[in-house]
Amino acid sequence: MVELLDVSKSGARFHATDDVDINVADRAAFGFVVPGEPSCQAQGLVVRAEHTGRFAGQFVLALDDANDAFAGFIRLLEAES
């Protein structure tokens, strides 16, 4: 299981809450549900993975594919900021 920490149209940062072995150059996909909307889904390449120290368990994806629901969710976030 992972926790989504930050998200944008080009990337996402996660914290692995379980002992997951994630490394740079791995591919990963994720999805989430916004009430009343289709499932948001995206995938990409792991470009950073922290295994020790203060940020242990965190990893960053450079997104290269996302569905329309994900793009719409990001537009809503941008409009609110």
Side-chain angles (χ1 to χ4, degrees), residues 19-40:
D19 188 22
V20 179
D21 187 27
I22 298 176
N23 297 291
V24 172
D26 287 350
R27 288 200 55 81
F30 67 98
F32 55 89
V33 177
V34 178
E37 299 293 330
S39 175
C40 298

Side-chain angles (χ1 to χ4, degrees), residues 1-17:
M1 179 173 294
V2 297
E3 176 184 6
L4 178 61
L5 300 175
D6 296 308
V7 66
S8 72
K9 63 184 173 186
S10 62
R13 182 171 60 105
F14 298 89
H15 179 257
T17 57

Side-chain angles (χ1 to χ4, degrees), residues 46-57:
V46 176
V47 294
R48 189 173 82 208
E50 301 293 335
H51 296 286
T52 60
R54 180 174 156 206
F55 299 106

